[in-house]
Amino acid sequence: DHTLSLTVNHMTRTLLLHVPSNNTAIHRALLLVYHGATDTAQSTEHMTDFTQVADRTGEVVAYLQGVNNHWNEQAGQNNGSQANDVAYTSAVIKLLGGLIHFDHNRIVAVGFSNGALMVQDLGCKLARQFSLIVPVEGELAAASSPGCAPARPIRVYEIHGTADSEIYYNGGPIGGHGTVVLSAPRSASRWAQLDHCSRTPTTSYSGSSVKLTTYSK
């Protein structure tokens, strides 16, 4: 692993980079990971298995670090951070593009909770740079939805749990942060609308607890 730093809008920012030693293919994907509120890039690497999977399948993984351990996702859950995290993300992609080989058509952003809200914002504003966003436990913010205007259709894979006690599956305010999110079904259908997908989804089930709703072009 490598700790990298860069300056964005006069602020020094950092990230933790994992480059699998057994894969130098230029067609490998780049995965950008956004931690949850109060968390860190380092602990997120330890809590997930992205590094272990990447060692088998070859992706480059960058664990990004938010200011004050939060992301300024333009929805209110930022702990006072005024950092421009969209600019930070673009700068990270540019930095890594000058250091290592990866497929610029296979850049993915995945985030948890506050990081998921950040990933939603990136989908709205940096769609040309990403092939896929994966928000986990963080729907599209109600304040962001009307103005969300991705420059091109983007793949979206949302993962939400009905028992989340902080960011509710059925949407509404996030406790104490002034942030309001859409419900999980409404968030998915909004992205389907933005991506010009069919208005009618297909639904399948995995066991008794997982429901998969798919909107296709």
Side-chain angles (χ1 to χ4, degrees), residues 121-207:
D121 193 47
L122 294 174
C124 294
K125 296 174 179 174
L126 292 183
R128 290 197 184 279
Q129 297 194 57
F130 289 101
S131 61
L132 168 69
I133 61 169
V134 185
V136 181
E137 299 300 328
E139 300 93 341
L140 184 63
S144 302
S145 176
C148 184
R152 65 173 182 175
I154 183 173
R155 295 175 179 86
V156 181
Y157 186 57
E158 298 208 22
I159 303 173
H160 305 292
T162 56
D164 192 316
S165 60
E166 177 69 15
I167 301 181
Y168 301 116
Y169 183 87
N170 291 324
I174 299 174
H177 300 290
T179 305
V180 178
V181 295
L182 303 179
S183 69
R186 180 70 187 101
S187 184
S189 66
R190 176 57 173 152
W191 275 111
Q193 180 186 34
L194 292 167
D195 284 340
H196 310 293
C197 295
S198 169
R199 294 185 178 183
T200 304
T202 59
T203 302
S204 60
Y205 294 86
S206 176

Side-chain angles (χ1 to χ4, degrees), residues 28-83:
R28 60 189 175 184
L30 170 64
L31 180 65
L32 305 184
V33 183
Y34 296 78
H35 58 73
T38 74
D39 214 337
T40 66
Q42 185 175 34
S43 68
T44 299
E45 181 180 25
H46 293 159
M47 290 189 298
T48 64
D49 60 359
F50 289 128
T51 291
Q52 290 78 10
V53 171
D55 284 338
R56 297 196 304 268
T57 56
E59 296 86 2
V60 177
V61 186
Y63 301 88
L64 279 63
Q65 178 60 50
V67 173
N68 299 331
N69 295 339
H70 280 72
W71 301 106
N72 185 15
E73 23 65 342
Q74 303 299 307
Q77 197 192 21
N78 59 13
N79 195 33
S81 171
Q82 298 302 313

